[in-house]
Amino acid sequence: MQKSIEKVSILLEALPYIKEFYGKTVVIKYGGNAMVNDELKEAFAQDVVLLKYVGINPVIVHGGGPQIGELLKKLNIQTKFVGGMRVTDRETMNVVEMVLVGKVNKEIVKLINSHGGNAVGLSGKDGNLIVAEKIDSRKYLTEIRAPEIIDLGFVGRVKRVNPEIVRRLLESKFIPVVAPVGIGEDFEAYNINADLVAGEMAAALKAEKLIILTDVEGIKDKEGKLINSIERSRVSELIEDGTISGGMIPKVKACERALTEGVKKAHIIDGRIKHSILLEIFTQKGIGTEIL
């Protein structure tokens, strides 16, 4: 009986958050270990399906770095990262698109649907969802104080998001799953950092929350202690002093962009924890770093 009462208490703790977020959109960037560990993959799918069933509208934007790296290695194509971005020549871009759109996206759709969801896979090419342009490599790498300044190739930035297709899917009770490949006005495909796509997607949809799954607890200070909450006005300062560096920079930039465009809250959380999404949304304490 006591265990049953405890379960009811957990449901009651979640009730205010279910009421608060009912009918609202939450953009979730899915990546890191949560995409490769089988147990975490199952937990992620369960979380997403539960959100949908309690009336919250999840939109998934996924990465696929490890899967891209694995295929590039098999094909003996060398890869390099600068400032958290993969240097992408045309040969690499072909592999990126094949892996993200043709493989990873469909696997995530299958995973969610196998747990009772109704997911639909998209790339930025579908309905001109993500219109991209080549990133200004020099400007970007200088801004984040990268160790070297080089041409990043077919790495893009989001010029605009046309969210109508996503809105239509949400209205029809589907769960959109978006691969971060954009289409340029020159009709070239561009590899776009999934964190940045998630931030732009959240902004375009006026989402209630942006949640970014990563492989660390969140943002840490110089002593290695988790920062539970920071204001977006401090982001530039923390990048300049080196507290935020490497692959964390696009994540924080995505949160900053989303918040500037009206998203209420952004969270960088540890995707290595089972059901991390539910812990963040439905518990008072939450997990990871909240950016306000």
Side-chain angles (χ1 to χ4, degrees):
M1 179 63 73
Q2 185 59 38
K3 286 185 177 180
S4 297
I5 293 172
E6 288 173 1
K7 288 180 181 179
V8 170
S9 297
I10 291 168
L11 288 171
L12 290 174
E13 181 183 356
L15 180 59
Y17 303 103
I18 293 172
K19 290 169 65 178
E20 181 180 356
F21 301 127
Y22 183 84
K24 303 291 178 61
T25 297
V26 175
V27 174
I28 301 165
K29 189 276 178 152
Y30 179 42
N33 202 46
M35 283 185 68
V36 295
N37 178 286
D38 287 340
E39 199 172 353
L40 293 174
K41 284 162 65 175
E42 298 295 319
F44 165 79
Q46 291 168 347
D47 288 4
V48 169
V49 172
L50 189 147
L51 291 180
K52 194 67 178 179
Y53 273 103
V54 298
I56 298 170
N57 296 317
V59 175
I60 313 304
V61 177
H62 65 83
Q67 294 91 333
I68 293 168
E70 184 179 342
L71 185 54
L72 287 170
K73 186 176 180 181
K74 287 180 180 178
L75 296 173
N76 292 315
I77 300 173
Q78 291 194 346
T79 188
K80 179 178 182 179
F81 284 87
V82 179
M85 300 288 193
R86 185 189 299 274
V87 180
T88 308
D89 59 16
R90 188 173 294 279
E91 188 177 28
T92 302
M93 185 64 229
N94 289 337
V95 174
V96 167
E97 188 167 10
M98 179 170 58
V99 172
L100 289 179
V101 181
K103 184 175 188 292
V104 175
N105 186 272
K106 304 314 172 192
E107 287 177 351
I108 296 169
V109 168
K110 178 182 175 182
L111 178 67
I112 293 171
N113 290 348
S114 72
H115 285 273
N118 205 4
V120 174
L122 301 167
S123 81
K125 290 182 174 181
D126 294 309
N128 287 321
L129 174 59
I130 303 168
V131 179
E133 63 183 2
K134 181 179 168 64
I135 197 169
D136 185 333
S137 301
R138 178 171 293 278
K139 180 180 177 182
Y140 171 76
L141 295 173
T142 300
E143 183 181 89
I144 66 170
R145 300 173 182 266
E148 59 179 319
I149 309 298
I150 62 173
D151 183 6
L152 294 171
F154 289 93
V155 172
R157 62 177 291 275
V158 178
K159 190 172 182 180
R160 66 179 179 273
V161 171
N162 298 314
E164 184 61 26
I165 188 171
V166 172
R167 289 200 180 105
R168 294 285 183 102
L169 288 170
L170 293 175
E171 288 168 4
S172 300
K173 310 303 180 186
F174 290 102
I175 299 170
V177 180
V178 181
V181 173
I183 183 71
E185 291 178 345
D186 55 3
F187 299 104
E188 292 279 8
Y190 286 93
N191 179 22
I192 310 177
N193 180 280
D195 299 315
L196 299 178
V197 171
E200 294 289 349
M201 187 66 64
L205 292 168
K206 304 298 180 189
E208 185 74 12
K209 281 180 179 285
L210 168 63
I211 298 175
I212 296 179
L213 301 183
T214 186
D215 284 343
V216 294
E217 291 179 80
I219 300 172
K220 295 184 179 180
D221 61 23
K222 289 191 173 181
E223 284 69 49
K225 184 179 178 182
L226 177 67
I227 301 173
N228 296 112
S229 179
I230 60 171
E231 295 182 2
R232 68 177 182 271
S233 58
R234 291 193 59 210
V235 166
S236 295
E237 169 197 333
L238 294 175
I239 291 174
E240 286 180 13
D241 71 12
T243 301
I244 298 172
S245 62
M248 185 59 73
I249 292 175
K251 293 172 173 47
V252 175
K253 287 284 188 182
C255 293
E256 187 180 35
R257 168 66 178 162
L259 292 166
T260 299
E261 292 300 312
V263 174
K264 299 289 179 59
K265 289 184 180 180
H267 308 265
I268 298 174
I269 66 173
D270 193 344
R272 300 169 302 176
I273 298 173
K274 284 179 66 176
H275 303 298
S276 56
I277 297 169
L278 299 186
L279 288 170
E280 177 52 55
I281 294 177
F282 293 138
T283 63
Q284 186 173 2
K285 187 176 179 181
I287 60 174
T289 300
E290 178 181 75
I291 304 177
L292 306 170

